[in-house]
Amino acid sequence: MSTYEARLHALREQMQKDGLDGFVVPICDEHMSEYVGEYAQRLAWLTGFGGSSGSAVVLKDKAAMFIDGRYVVQVRDQVDGNLYEYVNIKDQKPHEWLAAHAPDGGKIGYDSWLHTRDWVQAASKALKKSGAELVEVARNPIDAVWEDQPQRSPEKLAVHGDQYAGKSARDKRADVAAWLKENGYDATVIAALDSVAWFFNIRGKDIANTPVPLAYAIVRADETATLFVAPEKLTDAVREHLGNHVEIRDYAELADALADMKGKTVAVDPERSVAAIFSALDSAGANVVKERDPTILAKAIKNEAEISGHRAAQKRDGAALTKFLHWMASEAPKGGQDELSAAARLRQFREENPELKDLSFRTISAAGDHGALPHYSVNEETNQPIAMNSLYLVDSGGQYLDGTTDVTRVVAVGEPTAEMRKRYTQVLQGHIALDQAVFPKGTTGGQLDILARQYLWADGVDFGHGTGHGVGSYLSVHEGPQRIASFGGMNEALQPGMILSNEPGYYKAGEFGIRIENLFLVEEREIEGGEQTMLGFETLTFAPLERKLIDVAMLSAEQRQWVDDYHAKVRAVIAPQLEGDDLEWLKAQTAPLGTD
């Protein structure tokens, strides 16, 4: 019996002990986080799946693994098809599959600390139609059988200085209190980890690559707040920073505090708060109002200090990436390099900068056919050599006190094929179209998404992920509410101060992948004779593009000029930080097109 088969068997035995006919296993923690701590990696432990989004449903005699378009190939590499049926959520959602497969009268368990209330209601409704019942478990059955489950992180919290935050925690408390008063609410629960960190101007090390602590907050209309965090994680400096208006209670005491809110009107974010929070407030007799976390939009619209810091972080990060791209151009053709060695070398270049605190996510270092997996994660088992006449895709970023970076480049090792050059150029054309967009105030990311896809669509191809996501300020590399996509967050209006990625791509399964990613800042645009407020983008990421993959003949004169202008900016920003061979390579790589 394989490891994952044995784990599935153990879960089913525990389900039988608990009187369950099924159980739902999401990738999630108690804060609805995208990236979770090791203790919460229940889906990876059970199935072997290493993606950041997905879920499994386990019944007594069958099981299914649910993924989105980013993972249709990866799931087959990592999850045993003899144990799990593969299901794309575009075709069928977990509760829909359950409704079709759950036994009549069956009890399907779920952990209320790992699902939203909306999911619970939808799943309950679907199961009721099929004669089954959704049942809340007192203890997650995976925790009962996961013998070496990691403990929660013991790392200390740190103060995030106002010089980086641009606004004091006291002022943020006052803003949320004013919002509560304006709406007639007594309090709000803040559950998202990056929201808690941003609101109190604190940072932590409880999630790999994302500087947040495991914590909740209750904020009240009288400008007081309670921070729920393990007390041993607090330093004297953090306690002093939080001040007398912030009460400290143990992380595990949130439910007790919610039970004391009888008669209070409490705002709770249905997207970012788990069902258990709603249940506790309902049981207490509180008046629960569904409202978006009041810090979400404020966090997304960066202030001048955050914008300035981000520009500085991007400048340093771009120099490290440029050195790496030069190293790749020199060393990869010699052979002997693989995905792990390349990722390690890129990290070394970043670590030459003392301001680096961490990577912003695990580097996607993808050679050849692995590049066709948009969220590929290399390990010792999947690691493969970087071969000649292939493409190497690297998506990476750094966490700095003054900013979070995220950038993707593709390297042609040896000679690329005509198809590789064509697809790269089409992706580049879409990237340029989005970068150059000028649009009226009120425009959403969903309305702009087509700009990045038009050249691929015209050729009958596409990419299966969003074109852009928000980025935090020394926080999460994926931040809402804004997105550039035709799904999920597509209706959020873009506003000046928001930072997003611009990352169209193309993926040919089993052969190669292409993605070009820069970050940009939404800004107002002054247009002579204009009659309304218009917005556009300021490019923030500076690193050379792969000249060998650009088919200049496919570009319009305007597109060629964009590439030349962008490379001129790259030289201006990066060249002063380089010397010797690195500098000479940068000059050659960023020379005007047609001068090769």
Side-chain angles (χ1 to χ4, degrees):
M1 186 180 291
S2 71
T3 297
Y4 297 112
E5 186 178 6
R7 291 174 179 176
L8 181 59
H9 178 72
L11 174 59
R12 283 180 167 142
E13 286 190 330
Q14 186 62 43
M15 285 163 45
Q16 185 174 5
K17 293 177 184 177
D18 294 344
L20 299 174
D21 298 290
F23 188 68
V24 184
V25 187
I27 297 178
C28 196
D29 62 9
E30 301 86 348
H31 306 269
M32 300 306 301
S33 306
E34 177 183 10
Y35 299 111
V36 302
E38 290 300 313
Y39 80 94
Q41 293 282 1
R42 297 177 179 91
L43 186 65
W45 177 85
L46 178 68
T47 68
F49 180 64
S52 63
S53 177
S55 61
V57 174
V58 178
L59 300 177
K60 288 181 177 180
D61 58 349
K62 59 175 65 73
M65 182 75 203
F66 298 84
I67 43 80
D68 61 33
R70 295 170 294 176
Y71 298 112
V72 291
V73 177
Q74 182 175 335
V75 72
R76 285 165 169 78
D77 289 340
Q78 296 179 332
V79 179
D80 189 341
N82 294 316
L83 302 177
Y84 297 88
E85 174 188 348
Y86 307 128
V87 185
N88 191 324
I89 59 171
K90 181 178 68 174
D91 302 321
Q92 192 175 41
K93 292 180 172 55
H95 66 269
E96 295 169 338
W97 185 92
L98 267 171
H101 295 91
D104 186 26
K107 296 184 181 297
I108 308 301
Y110 78 100
D111 186 336
S112 66
W113 288 94
L114 301 179
H115 296 276
T116 65
R117 166 159 283 194
D118 289 348
W119 180 90
V120 172
Q121 291 173 342
S124 296
K125 183 178 180 180
L127 283 170
K128 189 175 182 179
K129 289 181 179 179
S130 64
E133 179 185 4
L134 192 67
V135 178
E136 180 180 349
V137 298
R139 182 189 181 187
N140 193 305
I142 289 183
D143 296 350
V145 298
W146 187 355
E147 294 180 354
D148 57 348
Q149 185 176 19
Q151 298 296 309
R152 287 178 171 84
S153 164
E155 294 285 348
K156 302 287 188 183
L157 277 64
V159 176
H160 190 58
D162 288 359
Q163 70 270 34
Y164 303 116
K167 190 170 192 174
S168 71
R170 177 191 298 176
D171 288 343
K172 292 177 182 179
R173 262 199 341 269
D175 287 347
V176 172
W179 175 82
L180 290 167
K181 292 175 186 175
E182 180 182 344
N183 288 280
Y185 305 148
D186 296 298
T188 184
V189 179
I190 300 179
L193 297 180
D194 60 336
S195 291
V196 175
W198 179 89
F199 179 73
F200 290 108
N201 285 351
I202 54 176
R203 297 295 186 266
K205 297 181 180 179
D206 292 349
I207 306 294
N209 308 132
T210 305
V212 294
L214 284 173
Y216 297 98
I218 294 176
V219 187
R220 301 175 188 83
D222 63 1
E223 297 190 26
T224 65
T226 301
L227 175 65
F228 297 86
V229 66
E232 63 270 18
K233 297 166 70 68
L234 296 175
T235 64
D236 291 342
V238 171
R239 288 183 181 276
E240 181 179 356
H241 163 73
L242 293 171
N244 295 330
H245 287 81
V246 178
E247 175 192 19
I248 307 298
R249 294 185 64 172
D250 191 274
Y251 178 82
E253 294 180 11
L254 175 67
D256 293 338
L258 298 177
D260 292 334
M261 302 194 79
K262 180 178 181 179
K264 301 293 186 183
T265 300
V266 185
V268 184
D269 189 327
E271 181 182 342
R272 299 169 180 85
S273 300
V274 295
I277 291 175
F278 284 89
S279 296
L281 288 167
D282 286 341
S283 297
N287 176 28
V288 183
V289 181
K290 291 183 178 182
E291 282 273 16
R292 185 163 72 182
D293 173 347
T295 72
I296 294 296
L297 193 58
K299 172 161 53 70
I301 300 174
K302 306 297 184 280
N303 58 47
E304 285 305 316
E306 291 171 321
I307 293 170
S308 176
H310 192 93
R311 290 190 180 112
Q314 283 286 1
K315 185 181 297 186
R316 296 190 299 269
D317 200 67
L321 180 57
T322 300
K323 291 178 183 178
F324 170 75
L325 294 173
H326 175 216
W327 177 84
M328 279 291 297
S330 173
E331 296 300 318
K334 298 177 184 177
Q337 300 300 328
D338 56 36
E339 294 167 337
L340 285 175
S341 68
R345 192 68 184 97
L346 176 53
R347 181 168 193 138
Q348 289 173 2
F349 282 121
R350 281 197 167 98
E351 287 176 340
E352 289 176 2
N353 193 306
E355 282 92 350
L356 182 76
K357 307 300 289 185
D358 196 357
L359 302 184
S360 57
F361 56 98
R362 184 169 181 175
T363 297
I364 298 174
S365 177
D369 60 328
H370 284 167
L373 309 176
H375 278 208
Y376 170 71
S377 181
V378 61
N379 56 45
E380 292 288 350
E381 293 180 357
T382 65
N383 182 39
Q384 67 182 15
I386 298 173
M388 278 294 290
N389 302 323
S390 70
L391 298 187
Y392 169 75
L393 183 152
V394 59
D395 186 348
S396 67
Q399 289 284 12
Y400 305 86
L401 285 174
D402 49 1
T404 299
T405 70
D406 183 5
V407 53
T408 307
R409 290 294 184 267
V410 177
V411 177
V413 182
E415 290 302 315
T417 65
E419 181 185 24
M420 291 172 179
R421 297 181 74 236
K422 176 183 178 180
R423 296 306 187 204
Y424 183 91
T425 306
Q426 289 171 330
V427 171
L428 175 60
Q429 288 174 310
H431 181 98
I432 293 170
L434 184 56
D435 183 272
Q436 292 183 318
V438 177
F439 46 94
K441 180 181 179 182
T443 298
T444 68
Q447 292 173 294
L448 299 179
D449 186 60
I450 188 175
L451 295 175
R453 299 177 189 269
Q454 59 182 308
Y455 296 94
L456 293 165
W457 281 3
D459 214 23
V461 296
D462 198 2
F463 54 94
H465 57 75
T467 301
H469 57 82
V471 178
S473 180
Y474 187 45
L475 271 176
S476 176
V477 73
H478 290 166
E479 180 180 270
Q482 73 277 19
R483 290 193 70 193
I484 300 173
S486 56
F487 51 87
M490 59 178 288
N491 295 320
E492 187 71 34
L494 303 185
Q495 298 190 44
M498 288 180 170
I499 293 175
L500 300 102
S501 65
N502 173 5
E503 51 179 308
Y506 171 77
Y507 310 95
K508 187 169 186 179
E511 296 195 28
F512 63 85
I514 292 165
R515 186 160 64 252
I516 301 172
E517 179 184 17
N518 286 346
L519 301 187
F520 50 25
L521 172 72
V522 182
E523 61 178 1
E524 286 197 18
R525 286 287 170 84
E526 293 291 336
I527 298 178
E528 187 175 351
E531 297 179 353
Q532 58 182 317
T533 301
M534 302 297 290
L535 306 176
F537 298 115
E538 174 197 340
T539 302
L540 298 170
T541 303
F542 296 103
L545 301 169
E546 177 55 276
R547 296 179 71 91
K548 290 195 292 185
L549 287 171
I550 300 175
D551 186 339
V552 179
M554 290 176 60
L555 300 180
S556 67
E558 184 180 18
Q559 290 166 343
R560 286 186 59 177
Q561 190 62 54
W562 183 95
V563 173
D564 288 344
D565 290 346
Y566 176 71
H567 273 155
K569 292 176 186 175
V570 172
R571 282 196 308 278
V573 170
I574 304 301
Q577 303 177 76
L578 304 181
E579 58 186 16
D581 291 342
D582 287 333
L583 179 57
E584 293 307 310
W585 180 84
L586 173 66
K587 290 178 179 178
Q589 196 71 7
T590 58
L593 293 177
T595 60
D596 298 290

